[in-house]
Amino acid sequence: MTTMQQLKVLLAVAEHGGFTAAGERLGMAQPAVSRSIATLESELGAPLLLRQRTGVVLTEAGERAVRRAREAVRQVDLLRAEVAEVAGQITGTLRLASVPTAMGTRLPAQLRLFTERHPLVAVRSFEGSDEELRDWLDQGVADVAVVTLPAPGLRTVLLDRHEMLAVLPVAHPLAACESVTYAQLADESFVRPTGGCAQVFTAAARDAGVRLEAAFEAREMSAVLEMVRAGLGVSILPAVGVPRVDGVVARPLLPRTIREVALAVSASASPAARAFLAQLEAA
């Protein structure tokens, strides 16, 4: 097994938290994964992983090795993709990170078109918060990311604009109103979503002279909605992608609050990332 293959095994173990899961991801037997890690540790002269009952965790040496391994694998992938680009082909992997509500935008249709145009590109998607997405772009974990605007310092293309809505238990007194103000929400127990839209309504509340104190926080939209339905508080969510849930109603906010999401690329974007960005710019 080459050093590059060993590094890929290390990254898989670190990402999936165990030898068996990494083996399933890579199509390798668990003993082969274990031998690869042991060989790499012997070559580097330090243990990279601690085996625990609940899985494996990285040592300090392992954390450093993973950072370097990720960059090494990325550079080799970029080399292959850029050589292929010279020959007129777009290849490699498009690693797309996004906020949880991104699939409610025009992103899925654009991804479908992209894969039709570039069948040699594999698309890998994963979700995170706005803060995580920026880190993943900086670290090279993601090639492109769907982020909430503003996103200073990043090259972006607008994907979608949608309204933010107040989300209330159906029996709540404010549910009878046609619209809800930030001042009215400030008096309520608030469930703060951490998936990516908080910066938008927090800024709007501040402009309205209001501070929304979070009694609860939840990352997933479904969890926020369940808390609201249970009467734990009220919340604010983007209109895009909000499912209908019995016992929960949504009302427009005053002042009207618009969220903009955009596709952002890293400073060292891969040929696949540049091609996807160019497609969105043309659209």
Side-chain angles (χ1 to χ4, degrees), residues 95-97 134 137 142-147 149 151 154-159 261-266 269 273 276-277 280:
R95 294 168 299 175
L96 168 67
R134 279 183 164 276
L137 282 176
D143 302 304
V144 295
V146 179
V147 299
L149 295 179
L154 295 176
R155 181 185 174 190
T156 60
V157 177
L158 183 66
L159 268 178
V261 293
L263 185 82
V265 299
S266 63
F276 190 43
L277 187 72
L280 286 171

mmCIF file with all atom_site columns, all heavy atoms in Angstrom, residues 95-97 134 137 142-147 149 151 154-159 261-266 269 273 276-277 280:
data_model
loop_
_atom_site.group_PDB
_atom_site.id
_atom_site.type_symbol
_atom_site.label_atom_id
_atom_site.label_alt_id
_atom_site.label_comp_id
_atom_site.label_asym_id
_atom_site.label_entity_id
_atom_site.label_seq_id
_atom_site.pdbx_PDB_ins_code
_atom_site.Cartn_x
_atom_site.Cartn_y
_atom_site.Cartn_z
_atom_site.occupancy
_atom_site.B_iso_or_equiv
_atom_site.pdbx_formal_charge
_atom_site.auth_seq_id
_atom_site.auth_comp_id
_atom_site.auth_asym_id
_atom_site.auth_atom_id
_atom_site.pdbx_PDB_model_num
ATOM 1   N N   . ARG A 1 95  ? -16.680 18.681 -3.673  1.00 0.00 ? 95  ARG A N   1
ATOM 2   C CA  . ARG A 1 95  ? -17.077 18.556 -2.263  1.00 0.00 ? 95  ARG A CA  1
ATOM 3   C C   . ARG A 1 95  ? -17.881 19.792 -1.893  1.00 0.00 ? 95  ARG A C   1
ATOM 4   O O   . ARG A 1 95  ? -17.341 20.890 -1.773  1.00 0.00 ? 95  ARG A O   1
ATOM 5   C CB  . ARG A 1 95  ? -15.835 18.410 -1.386  1.00 0.00 ? 95  ARG A CB  1
ATOM 6   C CG  . ARG A 1 95  ? -15.070 17.110 -1.639  1.00 0.00 ? 95  ARG A CG  1
ATOM 7   C CD  . ARG A 1 95  ? -13.714 17.133 -0.990  1.00 0.00 ? 95  ARG A CD  1
ATOM 8   N NE  . ARG A 1 95  ? -12.878 18.214 -1.513  1.00 0.00 ? 95  ARG A NE  1
ATOM 9   C CZ  . ARG A 1 95  ? -11.674 18.511 -1.037  1.00 0.00 ? 95  ARG A CZ  1
ATOM 10  N NH1 . ARG A 1 95  ? -11.180 17.841 -0.019  1.00 0.00 ? 95  ARG A NH1 1
ATOM 11  N NH2 . ARG A 1 95  ? -10.968 19.489 -1.563  1.00 0.00 ? 95  ARG A NH2 1
ATOM 12  N N   . LEU A 1 96  ? -19.170 19.572 -1.731  1.00 0.00 ? 96  LEU A N   1
ATOM 13  C CA  . LEU A 1 96  ? -20.125 20.666 -1.525  1.00 0.00 ? 96  LEU A CA  1
ATOM 14  C C   . LEU A 1 96  ? -20.630 20.658 -0.090  1.00 0.00 ? 96  LEU A C   1
ATOM 15  O O   . LEU A 1 96  ? -21.248 19.693 0.353   1.00 0.00 ? 96  LEU A O   1
ATOM 16  C CB  . LEU A 1 96  ? -21.293 20.518 -2.491  1.00 0.00 ? 96  LEU A CB  1
ATOM 17  C CG  . LEU A 1 96  ? -22.519 21.395 -2.243  1.00 0.00 ? 96  LEU A CG  1
ATOM 18  C CD1 . LEU A 1 96  ? -22.170 22.861 -2.475  1.00 0.00 ? 96  LEU A CD1 1
ATOM 19  C CD2 . LEU A 1 96  ? -23.665 20.977 -3.149  1.00 0.00 ? 96  LEU A CD2 1
ATOM 20  N N   . ALA A 1 97  ? -20.373 21.731 0.626   1.00 0.00 ? 97  ALA A N   1
ATOM 21  C CA  . ALA A 1 97  ? -20.897 21.899 1.982   1.00 0.00 ? 97  ALA A CA  1
ATOM 22  C C   . ALA A 1 97  ? -21.999 22.942 1.944   1.00 0.00 ? 97  ALA A C   1
ATOM 23  O O   . ALA A 1 97  ? -21.922 23.905 1.184   1.00 0.00 ? 97  ALA A O   1
ATOM 24  C CB  . ALA A 1 97  ? -19.788 22.334 2.926   1.00 0.00 ? 97  ALA A CB  1
ATOM 25  N N   . ARG A 1 134 ? -17.330 28.058 6.576   1.00 0.00 ? 134 ARG A N   1
ATOM 26  C CA  . ARG A 1 134 ? -16.167 28.924 6.336   1.00 0.00 ? 134 ARG A CA  1
ATOM 27  C C   . ARG A 1 134 ? -14.871 28.202 6.717   1.00 0.00 ? 134 ARG A C   1
ATOM 28  O O   . ARG A 1 134 ? -13.863 28.272 6.008   1.00 0.00 ? 134 ARG A O   1
ATOM 29  C CB  . ARG A 1 134 ? -16.296 30.215 7.141   1.00 0.00 ? 134 ARG A CB  1
ATOM 30  C CG  . ARG A 1 134 ? -17.201 31.244 6.479   1.00 0.00 ? 134 ARG A CG  1
ATOM 31  C CD  . ARG A 1 134 ? -17.225 32.518 7.299   1.00 0.00 ? 134 ARG A CD  1
ATOM 32  N NE  . ARG A 1 134 ? -17.750 33.622 6.524   1.00 0.00 ? 134 ARG A NE  1
ATOM 33  C CZ  . ARG A 1 134 ? -17.037 34.373 5.693   1.00 0.00 ? 134 ARG A CZ  1
ATOM 34  N NH1 . ARG A 1 134 ? -15.765 34.116 5.527   1.00 0.00 ? 134 ARG A NH1 1
ATOM 35  N NH2 . ARG A 1 134 ? -17.577 35.359 5.027   1.00 0.00 ? 134 ARG A NH2 1
ATOM 36  N N   . LEU A 1 137 ? -14.030 25.593 4.061   1.00 0.00 ? 137 LEU A N   1
ATOM 37  C CA  . LEU A 1 137 ? -13.448 26.199 2.869   1.00 0.00 ? 137 LEU A CA  1
ATOM 38  C C   . LEU A 1 137 ? -11.982 26.569 3.114   1.00 0.00 ? 137 LEU A C   1
ATOM 39  O O   . LEU A 1 137 ? -11.108 26.303 2.281   1.00 0.00 ? 137 LEU A O   1
ATOM 40  C CB  . LEU A 1 137 ? -14.238 27.446 2.465   1.00 0.00 ? 137 LEU A CB  1
ATOM 41  C CG  . LEU A 1 137 ? -15.560 27.243 1.734   1.00 0.00 ? 137 LEU A CG  1
ATOM 42  C CD1 . LEU A 1 137 ? -16.245 28.586 1.512   1.00 0.00 ? 137 LEU A CD1 1
ATOM 43  C CD2 . LEU A 1 137 ? -15.373 26.525 0.398   1.00 0.00 ? 137 LEU A CD2 1
ATOM 44  N N   . ALA A 1 142 ? -13.915 21.474 2.042   1.00 0.00 ? 142 ALA A N   1
ATOM 45  C CA  . ALA A 1 142 ? -14.942 21.685 1.017   1.00 0.00 ? 142 ALA A CA  1
ATOM 46  C C   . ALA A 1 142 ? -14.358 22.518 -0.120  1.00 0.00 ? 142 ALA A C   1
ATOM 47  O O   . ALA A 1 142 ? -13.517 23.387 0.098   1.00 0.00 ? 142 ALA A O   1
ATOM 48  C CB  . ALA A 1 142 ? -16.153 22.390 1.610   1.00 0.00 ? 142 ALA A CB  1
ATOM 49  N N   . ASP A 1 143 ? -14.819 22.231 -1.344  1.00 0.00 ? 143 ASP A N   1
ATOM 50  C CA  . ASP A 1 143 ? -14.415 23.024 -2.516  1.00 0.00 ? 143 ASP A CA  1
ATOM 51  C C   . ASP A 1 143 ? -15.354 24.206 -2.712  1.00 0.00 ? 143 ASP A C   1
ATOM 52  O O   . ASP A 1 143 ? -14.928 25.283 -3.112  1.00 0.00 ? 143 ASP A O   1
ATOM 53  C CB  . ASP A 1 143 ? -14.444 22.154 -3.785  1.00 0.00 ? 143 ASP A CB  1
ATOM 54  C CG  . ASP A 1 143 ? -13.540 20.948 -3.673  1.00 0.00 ? 143 ASP A CG  1
ATOM 55  O OD1 . ASP A 1 143 ? -12.343 21.145 -3.409  1.00 0.00 ? 143 ASP A OD1 1
ATOM 56  O OD2 . ASP A 1 143 ? -14.027 19.813 -3.835  1.00 0.00 ? 143 ASP A OD2 1
ATOM 57  N N   . VAL A 1 144 ? -16.634 23.960 -2.477  1.00 0.00 ? 144 VAL A N   1
ATOM 58  C CA  . VAL A 1 144 ? -17.651 25.002 -2.592  1.00 0.00 ? 144 VAL A CA  1
ATOM 59  C C   . VAL A 1 144 ? -18.590 24.878 -1.399  1.00 0.00 ? 144 VAL A C   1
ATOM 60  O O   . VAL A 1 144 ? -18.713 23.810 -0.803  1.00 0.00 ? 144 VAL A O   1
ATOM 61  C CB  . VAL A 1 144 ? -18.459 24.897 -3.913  1.00 0.00 ? 144 VAL A CB  1
ATOM 62  C CG1 . VAL A 1 144 ? -17.571 25.146 -5.106  1.00 0.00 ? 144 VAL A CG1 1
ATOM 63  C CG2 . VAL A 1 144 ? -19.139 23.539 -4.027  1.00 0.00 ? 144 VAL A CG2 1
ATOM 64  N N   . ALA A 1 145 ? -19.239 25.984 -1.059  1.00 0.00 ? 145 ALA A N   1
ATOM 65  C CA  . ALA A 1 145 ? -20.155 25.960 0.084   1.00 0.00 ? 145 ALA A CA  1
ATOM 66  C C   . ALA A 1 145 ? -21.305 26.908 -0.169  1.00 0.00 ? 145 ALA A C   1
ATOM 67  O O   . ALA A 1 145 ? -21.134 27.966 -0.782  1.00 0.00 ? 145 ALA A O   1
ATOM 68  C CB  . ALA A 1 145 ? -19.431 26.329 1.373   1.00 0.00 ? 145 ALA A CB  1
ATOM 69  N N   . VAL A 1 146 ? -22.486 26.521 0.297   1.00 0.00 ? 146 VAL A N   1
ATOM 70  C CA  . VAL A 1 146 ? -23.655 27.390 0.246   1.00 0.00 ? 146 VAL A CA  1
ATOM 71  C C   . VAL A 1 146 ? -23.717 28.129 1.573   1.00 0.00 ? 146 VAL A C   1
ATOM 72  O O   . VAL A 1 146 ? -23.892 27.511 2.628   1.00 0.00 ? 146 VAL A O   1
ATOM 73  C CB  . VAL A 1 146 ? -24.944 26.587 0.004   1.00 0.00 ? 146 VAL A CB  1
ATOM 74  C CG1 . VAL A 1 146 ? -26.152 27.521 -0.012  1.00 0.00 ? 146 VAL A CG1 1
ATOM 75  C CG2 . VAL A 1 146 ? -24.848 25.825 -1.301  1.00 0.00 ? 146 VAL A CG2 1
ATOM 76  N N   . VAL A 1 147 ? -23.544 29.435 1.520   1.00 0.00 ? 147 VAL A N   1
ATOM 77  C CA  . VAL A 1 147 ? -23.433 30.238 2.739   1.00 0.00 ? 147 VAL A CA  1
ATOM 78  C C   . VAL A 1 147 ? -24.491 31.334 2.756   1.00 0.00 ? 147 VAL A C   1
ATOM 79  O O   . VAL A 1 147 ? -25.054 31.690 1.721   1.00 0.00 ? 147 VAL A O   1
ATOM 80  C CB  . VAL A 1 147 ? -22.045 30.887 2.857   1.00 0.00 ? 147 VAL A CB  1
ATOM 81  C CG1 . VAL A 1 147 ? -20.968 29.821 2.926   1.00 0.00 ? 147 VAL A CG1 1
ATOM 82  C CG2 . VAL A 1 147 ? -21.780 31.844 1.696   1.00 0.00 ? 147 VAL A CG2 1
ATOM 83  N N   . LEU A 1 149 ? -25.417 35.173 3.080   1.00 0.00 ? 149 LEU A N   1
ATOM 84  C CA  . LEU A 1 149 ? -24.781 36.470 2.855   1.00 0.00 ? 149 LEU A CA  1
ATOM 85  C C   . LEU A 1 149 ? -25.135 37.423 3.992   1.00 0.00 ? 149 LEU A C   1
ATOM 86  O O   . LEU A 1 149 ? -26.208 37.298 4.589   1.00 0.00 ? 149 LEU A O   1
ATOM 87  C CB  . LEU A 1 149 ? -25.235 37.042 1.514   1.00 0.00 ? 149 LEU A CB  1
ATOM 88  C CG  . LEU A 1 149 ? -24.810 36.261 0.270   1.00 0.00 ? 149 LEU A CG  1
ATOM 89  C CD1 . LEU A 1 149 ? -25.354 36.929 -0.993  1.00 0.00 ? 149 LEU A CD1 1
ATOM 90  C CD2 . LEU A 1 149 ? -23.297 36.146 0.182   1.00 0.00 ? 149 LEU A CD2 1
ATOM 91  N N   . ALA A 1 151 ? -20.965 37.445 3.093   1.00 0.00 ? 151 ALA A N   1
ATOM 92  C CA  . ALA A 1 151 ? -19.836 36.542 3.325   1.00 0.00 ? 151 ALA A CA  1
ATOM 93  C C   . ALA A 1 151 ? -18.567 37.231 2.852   1.00 0.00 ? 151 ALA A C   1
ATOM 94  O O   . ALA A 1 151 ? -18.047 36.924 1.781   1.00 0.00 ? 151 ALA A O   1
ATOM 95  C CB  . ALA A 1 151 ? -20.059 35.222 2.590   1.00 0.00 ? 151 ALA A CB  1
ATOM 96  N N   . LEU A 1 154 ? -15.122 36.158 0.429   1.00 0.00 ? 154 LEU A N   1
ATOM 97  C CA  . LEU A 1 154 ? -15.364 34.986 -0.399  1.00 0.00 ? 154 LEU A CA  1
ATOM 98  C C   . LEU A 1 154 ? -15.941 35.393 -1.753  1.00 0.00 ? 154 LEU A C   1
ATOM 99  O O   . LEU A 1 154 ? -16.714 36.348 -1.840  1.00 0.00 ? 154 LEU A O   1
ATOM 100 C CB  . LEU A 1 154 ? -16.339 34.023 0.294   1.00 0.00 ? 154 LEU A CB  1
ATOM 101 C CG  . LEU A 1 154 ? -15.873 33.369 1.598   1.00 0.00 ? 154 LEU A CG  1
ATOM 102 C CD1 . LEU A 1 154 ? -17.000 32.527 2.180   1.00 0.00 ? 154 LEU A CD1 1
ATOM 103 C CD2 . LEU A 1 154 ? -14.635 32.511 1.358   1.00 0.00 ? 154 LEU A CD2 1
ATOM 104 N N   . ARG A 1 155 ? -15.562 34.668 -2.791  1.00 0.00 ? 155 ARG A N   1
ATOM 105 C CA  . ARG A 1 155 ? -16.168 34.864 -4.103  1.00 0.00 ? 155 ARG A CA  1
ATOM 106 C C   . ARG A 1 155 ? -17.486 34.104 -4.118  1.00 0.00 ? 155 ARG A C   1
ATOM 107 O O   . ARG A 1 155 ? -17.515 32.895 -3.883  1.00 0.00 ? 155 ARG A O   1
ATOM 108 C CB  . ARG A 1 155 ? -15.244 34.344 -5.202  1.00 0.00 ? 155 ARG A CB  1
ATOM 109 C CG  . ARG A 1 155 ? -15.787 34.536 -6.618  1.00 0.00 ? 155 ARG A CG  1
ATOM 110 C CD  . ARG A 1 155 ? -14.881 33.894 -7.636  1.00 0.00 ? 155 ARG A CD  1
ATOM 111 N NE  . ARG A 1 155 ? -15.456 33.952 -8.970  1.00 0.00 ? 155 ARG A NE  1
ATOM 112 C CZ  . ARG A 1 155 ? -14.965 33.306 -10.020 1.00 0.00 ? 155 ARG A CZ  1
ATOM 113 N NH1 . ARG A 1 155 ? -13.867 32.558 -9.877  1.00 0.00 ? 155 ARG A NH1 1
ATOM 114 N NH2 . ARG A 1 155 ? -15.535 33.399 -11.200 1.00 0.00 ? 155 ARG A NH2 1
ATOM 115 N N   . THR A 1 156 ? -18.567 34.798 -4.372  1.00 0.00 ? 156 THR A N   1
ATOM 116 C CA  . THR A 1 156 ? -19.890 34.181 -4.258  1.00 0.00 ? 156 THR A CA  1
ATOM 117 C C   . THR A 1 156 ? -20.760 34.447 -5.481  1.00 0.00 ? 156 THR A C   1
ATOM 118 O O   . THR A 1 156 ? -20.541 35.400 -6.223  1.00 0.00 ? 156 THR A O   1
ATOM 119 C CB  . THR A 1 156 ? -20.631 34.717 -3.014  1.00 0.00 ? 156 THR A CB  1
ATOM 120 O OG1 . THR A 1 156 ? -20.792 36.140 -3.136  1.00 0.00 ? 156 THR A OG1 1
ATOM 121 C CG2 . THR A 1 156 ? -19.878 34.395 -1.742  1.00 0.00 ? 156 THR A CG2 1
ATOM 122 N N   . VAL A 1 157 ? -21.739 33.576 -5.666  1.00 0.00 ? 157 VAL A N   1
ATOM 123 C CA  . VAL A 1 157 ? -22.785 33.748 -6.672  1.00 0.00 ? 157 VAL A CA  1
ATOM 124 C C   . VAL A 1 157 ? -24.121 33.535 -5.977  1.00 0.00 ? 157 VAL A C   1
ATOM 125 O O   . VAL A 1 157 ? -24.329 32.506 -5.313  1.00 0.00 ? 157 VAL A O   1
ATOM 126 C CB  . VAL A 1 157 ? -22.644 32.739 -7.834  1.00 0.00 ? 157 VAL A CB  1
ATOM 127 C CG1 . VAL A 1 157 ? -23.788 32.909 -8.825  1.00 0.00 ? 157 VAL A CG1 1
ATOM 128 C CG2 . VAL A 1 157 ? -21.315 32.914 -8.538  1.00 0.00 ? 157 VAL A CG2 1
ATOM 129 N N   . LEU A 1 158 ? -25.023 34.482 -6.098  1.00 0.00 ? 158 LEU A N   1
ATOM 130 C CA  . LEU A 1 158 ? -26.316 34.402 -5.419  1.00 0.00 ? 158 LEU A CA  1
ATOM 131 C C   . LEU A 1 158 ? -27.104 33.188 -5.888  1.00 0.00 ? 158 LEU A C   1
ATOM 132 O O   . LEU A 1 158 ? -27.247 32.937 -7.085  1.00 0.00 ? 158 LEU A O   1
ATOM 133 C CB  . LEU A 1 158 ? -27.131 35.670 -5.678  1.00 0.00 ? 158 LEU A CB  1
ATOM 134 C CG  . LEU A 1 158 ? -28.483 35.769 -4.966  1.00 0.00 ? 158 LEU A CG  1
ATOM 135 C CD1 . LEU A 1 158 ? -28.290 35.870 -3.458  1.00 0.00 ? 158 LEU A CD1 1
ATOM 136 C CD2 . LEU A 1 158 ? -29.269 36.965 -5.493  1.00 0.00 ? 158 LEU A CD2 1
ATOM 137 N N   . LEU A 1 159 ? -27.620 32.442 -4.920  1.00 0.00 ? 159 LEU A N   1
ATOM 138 C CA  . LEU A 1 159 ? -28.450 31.271 -5.215  1.00 0.00 ? 159 LEU A CA  1
ATOM 139 C C   . LEU A 1 159 ? -29.935 31.549 -5.039  1.00 0.00 ? 159 LEU A C   1
ATOM 140 O O   . LEU A 1 159 ? -30.760 31.160 -5.864  1.00 0.00 ? 159 LEU A O   1
ATOM 141 C CB  . LEU A 1 159 ? -28.076 30.103 -4.295  1.00 0.00 ? 159 LEU A CB  1
ATOM 142 C CG  . LEU A 1 159 ? -27.031 29.104 -4.738  1.00 0.00 ? 159 LEU A CG  1
ATOM 143 C CD1 . LEU A 1 159 ? -26.811 28.082 -3.633  1.00 0.00 ? 159 LEU A CD1 1
ATOM 144 C CD2 . LEU A 1 159 ? -27.419 28.416 -6.033  1.00 0.00 ? 159 LEU A CD2 1
ATOM 145 N N   . VAL A 1 261 ? -28.836 33.515 0.204   1.00 0.00 ? 261 VAL A N   1
ATOM 146 C CA  . VAL A 1 261 ? -27.827 32.459 0.263   1.00 0.00 ? 261 VAL A CA  1
ATOM 147 C C   . VAL A 1 261 ? -27.095 32.413 -1.068  1.00 0.00 ? 261 VAL A C   1
ATOM 148 O O   . VAL A 1 261 ? -27.672 32.692 -2.128  1.00 0.00 ? 261 VAL A O   1
ATOM 149 C CB  . VAL A 1 261 ? -28.431 31.074 0.588   1.00 0.00 ? 261 VAL A CB  1
ATOM 150 C CG1 . VAL A 1 261 ? -28.992 31.047 1.995   1.00 0.00 ? 261 VAL A CG1 1
ATOM 151 C CG2 . VAL A 1 261 ? -29.512 30.687 -0.411  1.00 0.00 ? 261 VAL A CG2 1
ATOM 152 N N   . ALA A 1 262 ? -25.816 32.079 -1.005  1.00 0.00 ? 262 ALA A N   1
ATOM 153 C CA  . ALA A 1 262 ? -24.985 32.106 -2.197  1.00 0.00 ? 262 ALA A CA  1
ATOM 154 C C   . ALA A 1 262 ? -24.021 30.935 -2.191  1.00 0.00 ? 262 ALA A C   1
ATOM 155 O O   . ALA A 1 262 ? -23.728 30.344 -1.143  1.00 0.00 ? 262 ALA A O   1
ATOM 156 C CB  . ALA A 1 262 ? -24.201 33.419 -2.262  1.00 0.00 ? 262 ALA A CB  1
ATOM 157 N N   . LEU A 1 263 ? -23.512 30.608 -3.379  1.00 0.00 ? 263 LEU A N   1
ATOM 158 C CA  . LEU A 1 263 ? -22.461 29.614 -3.495  1.00 0.00 ? 263 LEU A CA  1
ATOM 159 C C   . LEU A 1 263 ? -21.125 30.325 -3.378  1.00 0.00 ? 263 LEU A C   1
ATOM 160 O O   . LEU A 1 263 ? -20.877 31.311 -4.076  1.00 0.00 ? 263 LEU A O   1
ATOM 161 C CB  . LEU A 1 263 ? -22.546 28.884 -4.838  1.00 0.00 ? 263 LEU A CB  1
ATOM 162 C CG  . LEU A 1 263 ? -21.546 27.733 -4.977  1.00 0.00 ? 263 LEU A CG  1
ATOM 163 C CD1 . LEU A 1 263 ? -22.089 26.491 -4.285  1.00 0.00 ? 263 LEU A CD1 1
ATOM 164 C CD2 . LEU A 1 263 ? -21.246 27.429 -6.435  1.00 0.00 ? 263 LEU A CD2 1
ATOM 165 N N   . ALA A 1 264 ? -20.269 29.829 -2.502  1.00 0.00 ? 264 ALA A N   1
ATOM 166 C CA  . ALA A 1 264 ? -18.933 30.399 -2.310  1.00 0.00 ? 264 ALA A CA  1
ATOM 167 C C   . ALA A 1 264 ? -17.886 29.348 -2.653  1.00 0.00 ? 264 ALA A C   1
ATOM 168 O O   . ALA A 1 264 ? -18.102 28.145 -2.450  1.00 0.00 ? 264 ALA A O   1
ATOM 169 C CB  . ALA A 1 264 ? -18.758 30.854 -0.865  1.00 0.00 ? 264 ALA A CB  1
ATOM 170 N N   . VAL A 1 265 ? -16.752 29.806 -3.184  1.00 0.00 ? 265 VAL A N   1
ATOM 171 C CA  . VAL A 1 265 ? -15.661 28.890 -3.518  1.00 0.00 ? 265 VAL A CA  1
ATOM 172 C C   . VAL A 1 265 ? -14.427 29.255 -2.715  1.00 0.00 ? 265 VAL A C   1
ATOM 173 O O   . VAL A 1 265 ? -14.249 30.402 -2.305  1.00 0.00 ? 265 VAL A O   1
ATOM 174 C CB  . VAL A 1 265 ? -15.326 28.918 -5.029  1.00 0.00 ? 265 VAL A CB  1
ATOM 175 C CG1 . VAL A 1 265 ? -16.523 28.480 -5.851  1.00 0.00 ? 265 VAL A CG1 1
ATOM 176 C CG2 . VAL A 1 265 ? -14.848 30.295 -5.451  1.00 0.00 ? 265 VAL A CG2 1
ATOM 177 N N   . SER A 1 266 ? -13.567 28.271 -2.488  1.00 0.00 ? 266 SER A N   1
ATOM 178 C CA  . SER A 1 266 ? -12.326 28.505 -1.770  1.00 0.00 ? 266 SER A CA  1
ATOM 179 C C   . SER A 1 266 ? -11.341 29.239 -2.672  1.00 0.00 ? 266 SER A C   1
ATOM 180 O O   . SER A 1 266 ? -11.510 29.309 -3.895  1.00 0.00 ? 266 SER A O   1
ATOM 181 C CB  . SER A 1 266 ? -11.717 27.168 -1.323  1.00 0.00 ? 266 SER A CB  1
ATOM 182 O OG  . SER A 1 266 ? -11.380 26.375 -2.450  1.00 0.00 ? 266 SER A OG  1
ATOM 183 N N   . ALA A 1 269 ? -9.760  26.975 -5.642  1.00 0.00 ? 269 ALA A N   1
ATOM 184 C CA  . ALA A 1 269 ? -10.859 26.148 -6.133  1.00 0.00 ? 269 ALA A CA  1
ATOM 185 C C   . ALA A 1 269 ? -10.376 25.140 -7.173  1.00 0.00 ? 269 ALA A C   1
ATOM 186 O O   . ALA A 1 269 ? -9.532  25.440 -8.014  1.00 0.00 ? 269 ALA A O   1
ATOM 187 C CB  . ALA A 1 269 ? -11.944 27.034 -6.738  1.00 0.00 ? 269 ALA A CB  1
ATOM 188 N N   . ALA A 1 273 ? -14.932 22.780 -9.098  1.00 0.00 ? 273 ALA A N   1
ATOM 189 C CA  . ALA A 1 273 ? -15.559 23.896 -8.377  1.00 0.00 ? 273 ALA A CA  1
ATOM 190 C C   . ALA A 1 273 ? -15.685 25.118 -9.275  1.00 0.00 ? 273 ALA A C   1
ATOM 191 O O   . ALA A 1 273 ? -16.703 25.803 -9.298  1.00 0.00 ? 273 ALA A O   1
ATOM 192 C CB  . ALA A 1 273 ? -14.760 24.236 -7.127  1.00 0.00 ? 273 ALA A CB  1
ATOM 193 N N   . PHE A 1 276 ? -18.495 24.589 -11.732 1.00 0.00 ? 276 PHE A N   1
ATOM 194 C CA  . PHE A 1 276 ? -19.815 24.718 -11.120 1.00 0.00 ? 276 PHE A CA  1
ATOM 195 C C   . PHE A 1 276 ? -20.137 26.179 -10.895 1.00 0.00 ? 276 PHE A C   1
ATOM 196 O O   . PHE A 1 276 ? -21.261 26.639 -11.132 1.00 0.00 ? 276 PHE A O   1
ATOM 197 C CB  . PHE A 1 276 ? -19.870 23.945 -9.813  1.00 0.00 ? 276 PHE A CB  1
ATOM 198 C CG  . PHE A 1 276 ? -21.241 23.811 -9.215  1.00 0.00 ? 276 PHE A CG  1
ATOM 199 C CD1 . PHE A 1 276 ? -22.344 23.510 -10.020 1.00 0.00 ? 276 PHE A CD1 1
ATOM 200 C CD2 . PHE A 1 276 ? -21.445 24.014 -7.862  1.00 0.00 ? 276 PHE A CD2 1
ATOM 201 C CE1 . PHE A 1 276 ? -23.622 23.385 -9.474  1.00 0.00 ? 276 PHE A CE1 1
ATOM 202 C CE2 . PHE A 1 276 ? -22.721 23.896 -7.310  1.00 0.00 ? 276 PHE A CE2 1
ATOM 203 C CZ  . PHE A 1 276 ? -23.808 23.589 -8.124  1.00 0.00 ? 276 PHE A CZ  1
ATOM 204 N N   . LEU A 1 277 ? -19.153 26.947 -10.435 1.00 0.00 ? 277 LEU A N   1
ATOM 205 C CA  . LEU A 1 277 ? -19.371 28.378 -10.228 1.00 0.00 ? 277 LEU A CA  1
ATOM 206 C C   . LEU A 1 277 ? -19.695 29.070 -11.556 1.00 0.00 ? 277 LEU A C   1
ATOM 207 O O   . LEU A 1 277 ? -20.593 29.905 -11.618 1.00 0.00 ? 277 LEU A O   1
ATOM 208 C CB  . LEU A 1 277 ? -18.132 29.010 -9.602  1.00 0.00 ? 277 LEU A CB  1
ATOM 209 C CG  . LEU A 1 277 ? -18.268 30.465 -9.172  1.00 0.00 ? 277 LEU A CG  1
ATOM 210 C CD1 . LEU A 1 277 ? -19.148 30.573 -7.934  1.00 0.00 ? 277 LEU A CD1 1
ATOM 211 C CD2 . LEU A 1 277 ? -16.909 31.080 -8.905  1.00 0.00 ? 277 LEU A CD2 1
ATOM 212 N N   . LEU A 1 280 ? -23.274 28.491 -12.553 1.00 0.00 ? 280 LEU A N   1
ATOM 213 C CA  . LEU A 1 280 ? -24.227 29.318 -11.802 1.00 0.00 ? 280 LEU A CA  1
ATOM 214 C C   . LEU A 1 280 ? -24.172 30.766 -12.254 1.00 0.00 ? 280 LEU A C   1
ATOM 215 O O   . LEU A 1 280 ? -25.209 31.452 -12.339 1.00 0.00 ? 280 LEU A O   1
ATOM 216 C CB  . LEU A 1 280 ? -23.927 29.227 -10.314 1.00 0.00 ? 280 LEU A CB  1
ATOM 217 C CG  . LEU A 1 280 ? -24.330 27.920 -9.634  1.00 0.00 ? 280 LEU A CG  1
ATOM 218 C CD1 . LEU A 1 280 ? -23.769 27.864 -8.214  1.00 0.00 ? 280 LEU A CD1 1
ATOM 219 C CD2 . LEU A 1 280 ? -25.827 27.769 -9.604  1.00 0.00 ? 280 LEU A CD2 1
#
